[in-house]
Amino acid sequence: MTRPSDQEVARPAEQQRADARQNRALLISAATAAFAEKGADAPLEDIARRAGVGIQVRDVCAQGDALLATDAPQQAFAAWARALTGYLVTKRGLSRALIDAVGVESELITSCWMTMRDTTERLLESAQRAGVIRPDVTAVDVMRLLHGVAVSSEKDPSRTDLLLSVMLDGLAAAGQGEANRPGRG
């Protein structure tokens, strides 16, 4: 059973975080354009595309690919974990609204998930080959952990870096954990 303090309470727009207000405005603008062009039958996936969801995912994944090309495997993996978590935190309201609207199995949501998972997999495999990340975790495991950090730090963003550091220490191969802490490695 969920305790009342754990339940999410809808907040008026003026009390939402700036990124949540921007996401909401982006969706409203995209919906307005789609409805003006196609009427009430405008597909919700069209609205999501107009809001640039796929482009945003490609942009964050391009950061991961750049890290893979320029940084040592351990640093690239840790930086990717932080970048992806930052993206998940800022887009959480948008993704929740889209999933509610188009469904988790929609082409757009599936495509975004696959793109993030594939980027995570490339960085994870590089770090595993270098011997700095445990060999028994998968990209899906990492994605679930990052999502957990994003969700759990939503109400207290000041804890995000600590939670990521703990997670990265737990993923580290034997003897590698402390190098993932902020300011190290």
Side-chain angles (χ1 to χ4, degrees):
M1 183 169 182
T2 305
R3 296 180 312 213
S5 62
D6 292 341
Q7 293 176 347
E8 291 186 26
V9 177
R11 294 184 286 175
E14 64 274 3
Q15 292 179 352
Q16 293 176 347
R17 291 182 6 195
D19 57 331
R21 286 192 308 270
Q22 288 175 321
N23 290 335
R24 185 175 186 274
L26 188 61
L27 274 178
I28 290 170
S29 175
T32 301
F35 291 141
E37 185 180 309
K38 298 181 180 179
D41 293 331
L44 293 173
E45 287 212 16
D46 182 45
I47 295 168
R49 282 189 184 87
R50 288 174 188 254
V53 173
I55 293 168
Q56 294 167 17
V57 169
R58 284 191 296 275
D59 287 349
V60 77
C61 289
Q63 292 176 28
D65 290 333
L67 290 165
L68 189 59
T70 60
D71 291 14
Q74 184 172 19
Q75 286 74 26
F77 183 79
W80 168 245
R82 287 182 167 79
L84 185 56
T85 301
Y87 172 81
L88 294 172
V89 166
T90 61
K91 300 302 179 193
R92 183 158 151 66
L94 177 61
S95 64
R96 184 180 316 133
L98 288 172
I99 289 170
D100 289 347
V102 300
V104 73
E105 301 295 326
S106 75
E107 178 185 334
L108 178 68
I109 300 299
T110 300
S111 172
C112 289
W113 166 257
M114 297 287 288
T115 301
M116 290 185 287
R117 192 209 60 212
D118 291 347
T119 303
T120 300
E121 194 167 86
R122 287 191 295 278
L123 283 128
L124 175 63
E125 287 175 354
S126 173
Q128 286 172 326
R129 279 192 305 274
V132 295
I133 298 292
R134 301 167 53 130
D136 59 343
V137 295
T138 68
V140 172
D141 296 332
V142 172
M143 295 286 293
R144 287 176 178 155
L145 290 167
L146 294 176
H147 184 261
V149 169
V151 169
S152 65
S153 61
E154 186 174 5
K155 292 181 182 174
D156 189 1
S158 67
R159 304 293 289 172
T160 304
D161 198 53
L162 172 67
L163 293 173
L164 280 170
S165 294
V166 170
M167 184 204 84
L168 289 167
D169 283 351
L171 290 173
Q176 298 292 321
E178 296 213 5
N180 288 315
R181 291 196 182 144
R184 299 185 187 206

